[in-house]
Amino acid sequence: MKKDIDWSNLGFGIVDTDYRYVSMYKDGKWDDGKLVTDNTVTIHESAGVLQYAQTCFEGMKAYETVDGRIVCFRPDLNAERMIDSAKRLEMPIFPKEKFLQAVMDTVKANMNSVPPYGTGASLYIRPYMFGSSAVIGVKPAQEYMFRVFTTPVGPYFKGGVKPLTIRISDFDRAAPNGTGHIKAGLNYAMSLHAIVDAHNQGFDENMYLDAATRTKVEETGGANFIFVTKDNTVVTPKSSSILPSITRRSLLYVAEHYLNLKVEEREVYVSELESFKECGLCGTAAVISPVGRIVDHGKEINLPSGMNEMGEITKKLYDTLRGIQMGTIPAPEGWLVEIK
């Protein structure tokens, strides 16, 4: 029985669900983990996460498909990305199979909070891990907590698609050999000032450039870029300091194998931005958010796709991937994992 929620008017915020998953790492091993109802966390005041930002997370969704199944979209890739994040932050690896089971168990326990098909809403899933034991010297914690919580969220494009105006930022998102390629909390902390500043200046988002030369496009604070050339080639920036977006990888596959488009993953230079006809930001929340205008220190680059709607190719990519997630278009093997 679904919860009594106004599904059509959900935003992107916290709506508490009944259960969350918790597992503790102590004495060199993870415990069996369990579902709990308490949404609070109690840790030492000198916990590693509070002192030295030792934390990483993932973001994913569960959907109700057209035929009534509850599915998660490519959760194996989230599990693998969290392993990469943990390694880089000197945190213990939460095993892939254990991660997948934790996600499945949490969604299953909160089935009554999965929005119905057709509402445009979904169940957002947040697995995360942090150093929970006390540290004062600069070193990794000895104990860790892995948790998964869920919250129903509304469709990203409420009231229709509105292409974004973004700016090329003077701030750097990540150092060339830093942590830009993992989903660490510290990456998002350093982006907060830049996004608040962008909003205060009238922009929707930042376009970060590579910190070494400031000539190449990297990503925004929380999404990868996708560009479309005038001959309909789908291009995405290649860099060792951007997060490997699961949505981006999925869109590139869709472009090549469903839409028969040419795909390129390569370095993208600021100097070629004016040559693209479409641009989008891709991520879990929106799949693709279209960009209509890029501002480079006062110089406006107005994309041919305009400020009123998604570009033609961007919309095809969006509609196809959403169709796969909703079960109206056949999915590649392993992309949809059913919760039973």
Side-chain angles (χ1 to χ4, degrees):
M1 186 72 149
K2 297 285 187 189
K3 283 198 169 185
D4 184 18
I5 293 173
D6 186 359
W7 304 107
S8 299
N9 286 306
L10 281 169
F12 200 91
I14 297 293
V15 177
D16 274 333
T17 52
D18 296 331
Y19 294 95
R20 58 275 308 140
Y21 177 93
V22 182
S23 181
M24 307 293 292
Y25 181 88
K26 190 174 182 179
D27 299 327
K29 62 181 186 295
W30 290 101
D31 67 17
D32 292 336
K34 61 184 178 181
L35 292 167
V36 300
T37 56
D38 187 1
N39 65 358
T40 61
V41 177
T42 301
I43 51 176
H44 194 278
E45 62 186 348
S46 188
V49 61
L50 300 179
Q51 302 307 315
Y52 304 120
Q54 204 182 8
T55 180
C56 59
F57 68 97
E58 281 297 322
M60 51 207 296
K61 286 181 175 178
Y63 311 87
E64 183 171 303
T65 62
V66 66
D67 55 359
R69 294 176 298 143
I70 306 298
V71 299
C72 278
F73 182 70
R74 308 193 77 178
D76 55 314
L77 297 187
N78 293 95
E80 290 166 7
R81 193 168 63 179
M82 181 169 260
I83 287 171
D84 291 339
S85 296
K87 286 177 179 176
R88 180 64 176 80
L89 294 171
E90 287 298 325
M91 302 167 78
I93 288 169
F94 198 75
K96 181 176 177 178
E97 291 309 315
K98 199 172 171 70
F99 177 103
L100 294 172
Q101 193 62 55
V103 168
M104 300 303 132
D105 289 350
T106 309
V107 174
K108 190 172 182 179
N110 294 299
M111 287 284 221
N112 58 2
S113 294
V114 179
Y117 173 79
T119 60
S122 53
L123 187 72
Y124 186 82
I125 308 163
R126 171 55 60 87
Y128 63 111
M129 189 199 306
F130 57 89
S132 54
S133 60
V135 293
I136 196 62
V138 181
K139 60 184 178 181
Q142 295 298 301
E143 297 175 9
Y144 294 84
M145 195 182 300
F146 172 89
R147 297 177 67 99
V148 183
F149 72 83
T150 58
T151 179
V153 295
Y156 193 85
F157 295 125
K158 228 168 184 182
V161 176
K162 294 178 180 64
L164 308 175
T165 297
I166 66 175
R167 69 168 183 187
I168 293 181
S169 179
D170 289 327
F171 297 102
D172 291 326
R173 179 188 161 267
N177 296 304
T179 56
H181 63 293
I182 63 167
K183 208 163 174 65
L186 57 92
N187 293 343
Y188 296 81
M190 61 70 56
S191 74
L192 295 177
H193 173 67
I195 191 60
V196 169
D197 184 67
H199 290 166
N200 287 342
Q201 302 296 325
F203 301 101
D204 296 303
E205 255 294 359
N206 290 293
M207 173 182 280
Y208 292 108
L209 306 182
D210 72 296
T213 71
R214 296 195 55 78
T215 61
K216 292 175 279 193
V217 176
E218 294 233 313
E219 63 168 275
T220 69
N224 284 181
F225 280 106
I226 279 188
F227 299 98
V228 181
T229 67
K230 289 186 169 61
D231 67 354
N232 291 341
T233 299
V234 178
V235 178
T236 187
K238 184 176 185 178
S239 166
S240 60
S241 56
I242 64 175
L243 188 74
S245 163
I246 292 162
T247 304
R248 187 203 70 209
R249 279 187 271 178
S250 303
L251 286 168
L252 292 182
Y253 184 92
V254 164
E256 187 173 1
H257 298 279
Y258 281 70
L259 304 179
N260 298 313
L261 298 171
K262 185 180 175 187
V263 168
E264 292 179 354
E265 188 175 357
R266 61 169 173 81
E267 292 181 333
V268 174
Y269 288 85
V270 175
S271 58
E272 61 180 308
L273 288 175
E274 291 180 272
S275 68
F276 294 119
K277 71 172 186 176
E278 298 176 34
C279 172
L281 311 181
C282 56
T284 300
V287 178
I288 305 180
S289 301
V291 174
R293 182 182 297 122
I294 303 167
V295 180
D296 183 3
H297 299 85
K299 175 188 173 185
E300 288 192 2
I301 300 169
N302 293 294
L303 291 143
S305 52
M307 291 300 295
N308 295 317
E309 57 190 11
M310 279 189 177
E312 176 195 5
I313 301 300
T314 305
K315 188 167 191 329
K316 284 180 179 176
L317 287 167
Y318 173 83
D319 288 344
T320 307
L321 189 55
R322 284 290 291 157
I324 288 169
Q325 291 172 337
M326 293 291 105
T328 58
I329 295 174
E333 188 174 352
W335 277 28
L336 300 183
V337 177
E338 186 175 357
I339 315 291
K340 296 179 179 178

